[in-house]
Amino acid sequence: MYRKKLTSVLLGSAAATALLVAPATAGTAQASTKTAAAKATTASAQAGVERDSIRCSKPRGKWANYSWGEGNTTVTIYFNNHCSHKVSAKIAFERKGSVGDKVTKYRCMTVNAHTKGKKKFYAAVYKPYSVTRVARCS
């Protein structure tokens, strides 16, 4: 079985090498350049976005979704609550650049049922790390 896998890997890499070495036509080169540029743009736009979710208790299979991107002095948390009830979330902010000492601040936010929107937090030297469910914000 090992020999069979090794053969297919070697044949696959040989085929890939043949495609790289073979000259491309002008139309194919333009299409591949446009595709590569579109993929690079999409990847760079999504590179700074992080996401987390909280499972709903009602209805089952639904989620409250959160996403965020860092700014210079603020962080905007985007939310989309698919639950049929309010969801309270504790957001952990970790100090930027901390390696050994994990300094963490917590902020809390409650989101109404079936709503989406955004909330801005001042966090000059902190970045959001995770979102966890809490019973209520105090």
Side-chain angles (χ1 to χ4, degrees):
M1 184 183 268
Y2 178 72
R3 183 175 292 164
K4 198 178 230 184
K5 285 184 180 179
L6 183 60
T7 305
S8 65
V9 169
L10 290 175
L11 289 176
S13 63
T17 305
L19 286 174
L20 290 174
V21 173
T25 61
T28 307
Q30 283 182 339
S32 64
T33 304
K34 286 180 184 178
T35 305
K39 286 182 182 178
T41 304
T42 304
S44 66
Q46 293 178 351
V49 177
E50 295 185 42
R51 303 174 195 281
D52 207 351
S53 298
I54 296 174
R55 185 180 297 268
C56 298
S57 56
K58 290 183 278 183
R60 293 201 180 262
K62 298 288 184 173
W63 297 83
N65 301 311
Y66 298 87
S67 63
W68 58 87
E70 293 179 50
N72 290 333
T73 59
T74 61
V75 173
T76 303
I77 307 284
Y78 297 91
F79 57 87
N80 189 357
N81 185 4
H82 297 281
C83 304
S84 60
H85 53 83
K86 288 182 179 181
V87 175
S88 294
K90 180 172 70 171
I91 304 159
F93 287 87
E94 230 177 48
R95 190 174 185 88
K96 293 180 186 177
S98 65
V99 177
D101 57 337
K102 297 277 184 181
V103 178
T104 306
K105 279 175 36 173
Y106 296 98
R107 297 289 182 253
C108 194
M109 66 185 282
T110 301
V111 179
N112 289 327
H114 301 291
T115 58
K116 69 180 187 177
K118 60 186 178 181
K119 181 164 171 112
K120 189 176 279 193
F121 291 95
Y122 176 75
V125 293
Y126 291 89
K127 64 180 180 178
Y129 180 70
S130 68
V131 176
T132 55
R133 183 183 207 136
V134 293
R136 68 186 132 143
C137 294
S138 52

